[in-house]
Amino acid sequence: MDGLYLIDKVLDHVRRDSDRTALVWVNAKGHEERSFSFGELDAAARRLASTLLNEGIARGDTAVLCYTPGVDFYIAFWACLCAGIKAVPVSPPLTSSDLKRFLTIYTSSGARVVLTDKLFTRLLTMKMRKHKAMRVGKGIAAIFKGTAAKSSGVTFGDLESLWWITTSALSDHGNACPLIPADPHETAFIMYSSGSTAAPKGALTSLANLRHQFEVIEAACGSSPDHVSCWWAPHFHDFGLISGFLNCLHQGCTSVITSPMYFIQRPALWLEMIHNFKATHTFGPDFGYLLMLRKTTREAREAGKWNLRTLKVAMSAAEKVRHTTLTDFADAFG
């Protein structure tokens, strides 16, 4: 098995049809915001991979990928695979409980660096400044009271000592990273559990694992460069990352992606994506199909507002699969 198996598949798609659309990012209104052809995605990722290696990250190092929803994550993840850097996708820490989980994952994965985007960098800067101001305020209050300032446990100030690299726009310039074969059974990236019931646990994923998974998906759903797959599952979840993004790269088909926050705010967005981009495949958890039932009207459905005739597969997974949800959805949108 070739150590560049998945990368070679993408390079083959680039050679065959560099201009074929690989990824489309959809905004909250259901319109295309950014898109990349296979040639553009490959070039951007390999330029970023070269930049990361030049920054001092070594092949075999581990990087935590802390991104808000958007294309920056997908470029960075693919860059890590090209550079031989073990990626650890995580949800950005926004609260104290998120912060504890984030630091647990950073430590247990043995990460050297955190990669992120401009949006989260700005948010993190504000939170760090707020923490410093509060710490100074508490220190002054303690002096006047003649007591010692109390520690507040884990804070956003604890993130300041980590090595952060903001990758937004870093993929615009530079030379492409040379591709070096690796052992297909070595860890390519690490997916962590949510940590909602216990400490987050990491699943070590190799290229050999991915190859097997793609074969299973192909047997179940078919595989063709002509397919268009759309979803809103989070990029740090294996449903969105593996069943979605990486499987589409493997097939050579088009990914149409939006933010889970956009979908939660307006569930009809999912239907608009299928309609507007003529999706052949889509997937989501049970509650997503329920939301589309509850947040759309019978009048809108019967008026043919959303044409779903291009769909070949609508997959339900990642939580309990309920037969009533599937039948109700099929009846409502049939």
Side-chain angles (χ1 to χ4, degrees):
M1 190 183 299
D2 193 340
L4 286 177
Y5 155 70
L6 183 56
I7 296 171
D8 274 343
K9 289 284 289 187
V10 174
L11 290 178
D12 188 51
H13 300 320
V14 172
R15 286 189 290 265
R16 290 173 181 268
D17 190 356
S18 177
D19 294 331
R20 179 187 294 274
T21 302
L23 186 154
V24 177
W25 181 259
V26 174
N27 63 22
K29 295 182 178 180
H31 301 145
E32 177 182 318
E33 187 172 279
R34 293 183 69 185
S35 67
F36 287 82
S37 68
F38 275 91
E40 290 168 337
L41 181 65
D42 173 64
R46 289 175 62 187
R47 286 195 299 265
L48 177 57
S50 183
T51 300
L52 295 177
L53 294 174
N54 290 336
E55 285 285 327
I57 307 172
R59 294 180 183 276
D61 281 347
T62 301
V64 170
L65 272 58
C66 179
Y67 287 79
T68 57
V71 298
D72 284 348
F73 167 81
Y74 296 102
I75 294 173
F77 186 89
W78 191 246
C80 286
L81 280 186
C82 291
I85 298 167
K86 289 177 283 191
V88 183
V90 299
S91 56
L94 302 175
T95 65
S96 297
S97 58
D98 294 340
L99 190 58
K100 185 176 180 180
R101 176 181 182 273
F102 176 85
L103 289 171
T104 297
I105 291 174
Y106 180 89
T107 301
S108 69
S109 67
R112 277 196 67 206
V113 63
V114 185
L115 307 182
T116 191
D117 55 38
K118 283 183 179 178
L119 179 57
F120 188 72
T121 297
R122 289 196 294 267
L123 179 63
L124 184 60
T125 299
M126 289 189 292
K127 285 184 174 292
M128 285 180 175
R129 287 174 179 169
K130 181 180 179 180
H131 165 72
K132 287 179 180 178
M134 291 176 62
R135 186 175 60 186
V136 170
K138 288 180 180 179
I140 294 173
I143 291 173
F144 281 109
K145 291 179 181 179
T147 60
K150 295 181 180 179
S151 172
S152 56
V154 177
T155 68
F156 279 90
D158 295 318
L159 300 183
E160 197 167 16
S161 61
L162 306 184
W163 181 17
W164 292 82
I165 296 178
T166 303
T167 65
S168 304
L170 287 182
S171 60
D172 294 344
H173 307 286
N175 299 317
C177 173
L179 301 176
I180 300 175
D183 184 341
H185 296 285
E186 287 184 357
T187 300
F189 60 94
I190 308 173
M191 296 296 294
Y192 271 84
S193 61
S194 65
S196 57
T197 57
K201 295 179 176 62
L204 308 182
T205 308
S206 69
L207 291 176
N209 294 147
L210 286 176
R211 184 166 193 165
H212 172 74
Q213 182 64 26
F214 298 149
E215 289 170 353
V216 170
I217 294 173
E218 183 174 353
C221 303
S223 176
S224 168
D226 295 327
H227 288 167
V228 176
S229 182
C230 81
W231 70 89
W232 48 267
H235 56 270
F236 49 82
H237 192 287
D238 55 1
F239 203 21
L241 179 60
I242 300 174
S243 298
F245 177 64
L246 293 178
N247 181 56
C248 286
L249 287 184
H250 177 262
Q251 287 189 41
C253 70
T254 300
S255 303
V256 179
I257 317 170
T258 195
S259 167
M261 294 181 288
Y262 296 163
F263 167 71
I264 296 299
Q265 291 165 357
R266 196 169 66 86
L269 173 61
W270 192 1
L271 298 166
E272 291 171 12
M273 291 166 65
I274 297 170
H275 173 92
N276 293 338
F277 295 93
K278 296 180 172 56
T280 59
H281 291 65
T282 194
F283 58 87
D286 186 88
F287 84 84
Y289 291 95
L290 279 176
L291 277 180
M292 285 196 289
L293 285 166
R294 293 171 180 172
K295 298 298 181 179
T296 59
T297 65
R298 177 182 294 179
E299 290 75 20
R301 295 194 292 266
E302 291 179 350
K305 187 174 181 180
W306 306 290
N307 184 351
L308 311 184
R309 289 187 181 92
T310 57
L311 269 183
K312 299 177 183 294
V313 174
M315 184 197 307
S316 177
E319 61 176 40
K320 286 184 178 180
V321 178
R322 294 175 173 85
H323 181 259
T324 54
T325 302
L326 301 181
T327 53
D328 288 349
F329 181 82
D331 290 342
F333 291 95

